[in-house]
Amino acid sequence: MIQRRGWKRWLIALAVLHGIVASAGFFTPYDPTEQDRERPYLPPMKIHLVDAQGHFHLRPFFYAEHLRAGSFDQFEESTDQPVPLRFFVSGVRYRLFGLLPSGIHLFGAQASRFYLLGSDAYGRDQFSRILYGGQISLLAGLFGAGLTLFFGTLIGATAGYYGGWRDGLLMRVAELFVALPWLYLLFALRAFLPLAVSPVQAFFLIISVIGAVGWARPARLVRGVVLSAKERDFVRAARGFGATDWYLLRRHILPETSSVVLTQAAILVPQFVLAEMTLSFLGLGVPEPLPSWGSLLASLQQYSVLVSSWWMYAPALAIVPFFLGYLGLASALQQDTGAGKIVNMTDET
Amino acid sequence: MRYFLRRLLQAAFLLIGVSILTFLFSALAPGNYFDEMRLNPQISPETVAALRVQYQLDRPVPVRYLRWVNSLLHGEMGYSFAYNSPVAPLLWVRARNTLLLALVASLIAWTLALTLGIWSATRLGRLPDRALSGITAALLVIPDLVLALGLLIIAVRTGWFPTGGMISVGFDSLSPLEKLRDLALHMALPVTALALSALPTLVRHVRAAIADALSAPFLRVAASHGIPRRTLLYRYALRAAANPLISLFGLSLGALLSGSLVIEVVMSWPGLGPLLLEAILARDLYVVIGGVLCSTVFLVAGNFLADVLLYLADPRIRTQVAAR
């Protein structure tokens, strides 16, 4: 079902999804850390077209909500005052892509805050937190995969190109890493690193930990490609003309590995996004107040939230389109290039 | 026989390597279990230092490693600071629960995968086949964390299943039959999550393997001889397809055993996962090392089992090994 379409379509779909998350400032109405202590665990707001008097409004509107008198978790709409939903409103200042300062938001409202997907324990807008949280989770996945592939290619190319004792040593170590259950390895590595760190430190810590555990599989694949590539006639010819090792690797051999590396990237990124989510979910990842998909889900560990606030589950659903995109891309790449079979459980040890 | 011995030896070397690796990581780690104590004004620095000496944390890494190997041979696997007991008994109780969970889950997942995979392979390209591959694709993109949380929400909101733990309060006073029922109810959620997370890969592989076998020339000849479809499918195709499936079985067993970490934590199943998490948060060094090693043993054991089964099932491998 997935395989028949070209990989370009998947790439475009992924680019759009990542673009939305990257420009979260524009698509979200509020700052992800801005609190509203009057409205904790507010359910998603309803968008109306017909008001309480039965009049039809062309512009969608919503009612501001407040705690019902004498209750601490029941909200009711103040139906006397419809708040129109506005598009391209100016609001909180943000920097688009971390660079361009702007204050324009896709949607918002003047008189009251609008909660598209409800609010969390501190009354922070869940929708904004999901989009901003995606920035951290996806960035961790992308950087982690980049790091892993860098080390994997480096080690794999060294082992394959030079052979001999280097090959033996590196591949024995790689075997060790492949045999390790990688989630446990991730945990063990995280266990031996400091627990209390600043959010930014934690982020880079997670990326490097994630990057450090996964290199073995890509390294083995790259080694295989390099082994066969270095025996090709044009490589031998170039060597005969006196090309240096570095030139041969850069010009002739590494380009051969590109399809394997790309396919691996499409497989690794969602895996690492999930790894970051798992770590953050368990409280070992990026700490508050920064949102990440994992730490957003962490509130579901409380029984009361699980019972009454289903919208806290929304971040879990947000990742599904991303994973679908990556899966589609990976299988389309494999079909197109015919290289690098899906390496999951069937990889030989 | 020599083949098995060699595989066992390989596995042993692997485990030694893994234990050295985790020890090295632990040596690079800043801080240890007793650092927390230093913040407590009631405990003097001398006491903390004495404790460190008592637990040998002041010794160099190789010495600690050798002492740990020694205690492993005595069936202890080091000492847990938090539980104040040897690690091995702690691990054993938890590993048993993880084992129970993973075995039941893989039994269910494989039964389903074989039925669905064969059913799908005999209807290649038709509507049921395409519907099933759509479903497996959907399951494939839903990560286990999301799946487990979703199931948990359903369970909590409907109240159909007990959530958390392995047994109810007052388990001991129940009759054996009620005990079994109670355990089954508690297991239902984690087992479902685990089985569903493993299912899509298995179904796809079974489908591919059977479809491959069915299109093989010898089966077409058999079909043209008028051998009934059922015999064709179950006696010939299944046998021909068994080879990749057996190695997948061992791998999936290992993967399930070591991959149930997240699901165990979410569903608060008292397996290795929650123990490891607690140990990490408490910096309980030897429990972390033990937990990692334990799950590696599971993985390696799964692979070994697959090798043994393959050897028994496939005459080609037997002759290959004998020829070597």
Side-chain angles (χ1 to χ4, degrees):
Chain A
M1 159 173 164
I2 279 172
Q3 286 96 349
R4 282 190 202 114
R5 297 174 214 162
W7 57 273
K8 276 186 186 148
R9 272 196 229 172
W10 291 107
L11 201 62
I12 291 170
L14 276 176
V16 170
L17 284 172
H18 283 80
I20 292 177
V21 169
S23 43
F26 171 69
F27 286 99
T28 60
Y30 306 109
D31 188 273
T33 53
E34 194 182 330
Q35 303 185 353
D36 181 359
R37 294 291 177 103
E38 306 280 294
R39 290 171 190 80
Y41 291 125
L42 181 77
M45 283 181 163
K46 293 185 191 71
I47 300 174
H48 300 271
L49 283 172
V50 180
D51 65 16
Q53 283 80 41
H55 298 303
F56 179 78
H57 292 239
L58 198 58
R59 178 178 281 281
F61 67 93
F62 65 95
Y63 291 116
E65 297 192 24
H66 55 84
L67 278 172
R68 188 169 290 157
S71 146
F72 58 91
D73 58 356
Q74 297 295 313
F75 292 90
E76 58 183 6
E77 296 183 324
S78 0
T79 46
D80 48 327
Q81 190 68 52
V83 186
L85 205 56
R86 298 193 182 282
F87 294 93
F88 300 103
V89 289
S90 63
V92 192
R93 308 290 300 171
Y94 62 90
R95 281 172 180 276
L96 198 61
F97 309 122
L99 294 170
L100 309 164
S102 168
I104 307 291
H105 298 265
L106 179 63
F107 65 93
Q110 252 95 41
S112 163
R113 273 163 72 94
F114 174 65
Y115 294 96
L116 185 65
L117 287 178
S119 72
D120 71 357
Y122 301 100
R124 294 177 292 202
D125 180 34
Q126 182 76 353
F127 179 68
S128 307
R129 286 181 73 73
I130 289 176
L131 280 198
Y132 274 102
Q135 289 187 337
I136 291 191
S137 294
L138 290 175
L139 216 58
L142 289 169
F143 270 135
L147 208 61
T148 295
L149 289 174
F150 174 73
F151 283 125
T153 312
L154 196 73
I155 293 172
T158 312
Y161 188 79
Y162 292 105
W165 64 269
R166 295 187 189 87
D167 187 26
L169 181 70
L170 288 173
M171 285 305 110
R172 288 297 89 73
V173 179
E175 244 166 50
L176 201 68
F177 268 82
V178 170
L180 272 170
W182 73 281
L183 201 60
Y184 276 76
L185 182 65
L186 196 66
F187 270 73
L189 262 180
R190 182 64 185 90
F192 301 130
L193 293 167
L195 279 177
V197 286
S198 81
V200 179
Q201 272 178 320
F203 179 69
F204 285 104
L205 199 67
I206 297 299
I207 289 179
S208 34
V209 167
I210 289 175
V213 294
W215 60 270
R217 263 170 220 277
R220 284 163 53 138
L221 290 173
V222 167
R223 171 180 171 270
V225 177
V226 169
L227 266 184
S228 73
K230 76 171 180 185
E231 297 304 327
R232 296 276 180 83
D233 287 340
F234 63 88
V235 177
R236 288 186 180 184
R239 188 180 289 136
F241 285 130
T244 60
D245 286 349
W246 171 236
Y247 177 86
L248 278 177
L249 271 173
R250 186 171 51 90
R251 192 61 201 258
H252 293 307
I253 294 177
L254 287 183
E256 295 274 307
T257 65
S258 63
S259 68
V260 167
V261 171
L262 281 180
T263 313
Q264 277 294 302
I267 294 171
L268 285 175
V269 172
Q271 231 181 55
F272 287 166
V273 170
L274 192 61
E276 189 280 329
M277 277 180 70
T278 310
L279 281 177
S280 295
F281 175 76
L282 300 174
L284 299 170
V286 183
E288 293 275 345
L290 281 186
S292 97
W293 281 339
S295 62
L296 287 176
L297 286 175
S299 66
L300 285 175
Q301 285 173 330
Q302 298 164 31
Y303 187 77
S304 58
V305 176
L306 209 59
V307 175
S308 57
S309 312
W310 57 267
W311 56 93
M312 300 307 286
Y313 185 61
L317 300 178
I319 67 167
V320 172
F322 287 89
F323 278 38
L324 182 65
Y326 277 110
L327 180 74
L329 183 65
S331 46
L333 274 176
Q334 277 160 7
Q335 282 254 313
D336 272 22
T337 58
K341 281 179 84 178
I342 262 210
V343 190
N344 39 28
M345 300 203 297
T346 49
D347 191 30
E348 261 186 64
T349 332
Chain B
M1 214 51 229
R2 275 184 51 199
Y3 171 69
F4 292 133
L5 277 179
R6 218 185 56 227
R7 295 292 309 182
L8 265 181
L9 212 64
Q10 268 179 4
F13 271 118
L14 200 82
L15 286 176
I16 293 171
V18 169
S19 70
I20 291 177
L21 204 67
T22 39
F23 247 88
L24 275 179
F25 285 146
S26 78
L28 296 173
N32 59 52
Y33 182 74
F34 303 107
D35 282 356
E36 299 269 305
M37 284 188 185
R38 254 178 233 161
L39 302 175
N40 187 343
Q42 294 199 328
I43 303 173
S44 69
E46 289 80 33
T47 317
V48 176
L51 275 171
R52 273 179 60 102
V53 173
Q54 189 191 334
Y55 288 109
Q56 316 267 348
L57 284 184
D58 55 339
R59 301 288 197 86
V61 188
V63 178
R64 263 164 43 196
Y65 182 70
L66 287 180
R67 290 195 65 93
W68 179 79
V69 170
N70 183 30
S71 87
L72 176 69
L73 295 177
H74 287 90
E76 288 192 343
M77 295 181 79
Y79 202 80
S80 161
F81 311 132
Y83 287 88
N84 208 8
S85 93
V87 173
L90 280 175
L91 278 181
W92 169 236
V93 175
R94 299 304 193 98
R96 219 172 43 193
N97 296 342
T98 297
L99 216 59
L100 178 69
L101 196 66
L103 288 182
V104 175
S106 65
L107 190 71
I108 293 175
W110 269 98
T111 316
L112 274 176
L114 279 176
T115 342
L116 290 175
I118 292 174
W119 183 71
S120 186
T122 51
R123 287 162 184 74
L124 271 191
R126 280 195 269 161
L127 190 66
D129 174 44
R130 274 190 283 167
L132 190 69
S133 54
I135 293 171
T136 53
L139 275 177
L140 209 56
V141 295
I142 300 177
D144 46 3
L145 176 65
V146 172
L147 197 68
L149 280 173
L151 284 176
L152 200 57
I153 288 184
I154 293 173
V156 165
R157 291 182 81 88
T158 57
W160 289 338
F161 297 102
T163 50
M166 198 172 146
I167 45 175
S168 305
V169 182
F171 182 76
D172 290 330
S173 61
L174 297 176
S175 71
L177 209 64
E178 282 174 326
K179 273 186 184 172
L180 198 67
R181 186 175 162 273
D182 189 53
L183 192 61
L185 273 179
H186 279 89
M187 273 178 77
L189 275 186
V191 162
T192 311
L194 207 53
L196 278 182
S197 71
L199 193 61
T201 333
L202 300 188
V203 172
R204 292 184 153 212
H205 277 101
V206 171
R207 175 178 171 272
I210 298 278
D212 230 31
L214 279 178
S215 68
F218 80 92
L219 267 179
R220 284 206 216 141
V221 172
S224 66
H225 274 298
I227 295 175
R229 241 176 88 81
R230 186 170 286 272
T231 324
L232 212 61
L233 196 60
Y234 292 103
R235 180 166 304 165
Y236 298 108
L238 200 57
R239 257 191 209 179
N243 197 332
L245 296 186
I246 287 173
S247 36
L248 184 65
F249 174 72
L251 288 171
S252 79
L253 208 60
L256 273 180
L257 276 166
S258 66
S260 57
L261 190 151
V262 179
I263 288 168
E264 280 175 10
V265 172
V266 171
M267 307 273 187
S268 33
W269 178 263
L272 278 176
L275 180 74
L276 187 73
L277 186 65
E278 280 166 30
I280 287 173
L281 291 175
R283 315 213 139 254
D284 202 349
L285 184 73
Y286 291 109
V287 179
V288 177
I289 293 173
V292 173
L293 212 61
C294 204
S295 68
T296 317
V297 170
F298 285 156
L299 258 186
V300 171
N303 286 353
F304 185 71
L305 185 69
D307 282 340
V308 173
L309 285 177
L310 263 185
Y311 185 85
L312 295 178
D314 194 338
R316 282 172 296 185
I317 292 181
R318 276 201 295 268
T319 49
Q320 245 178 43
V321 170
R324 230 182 275 160

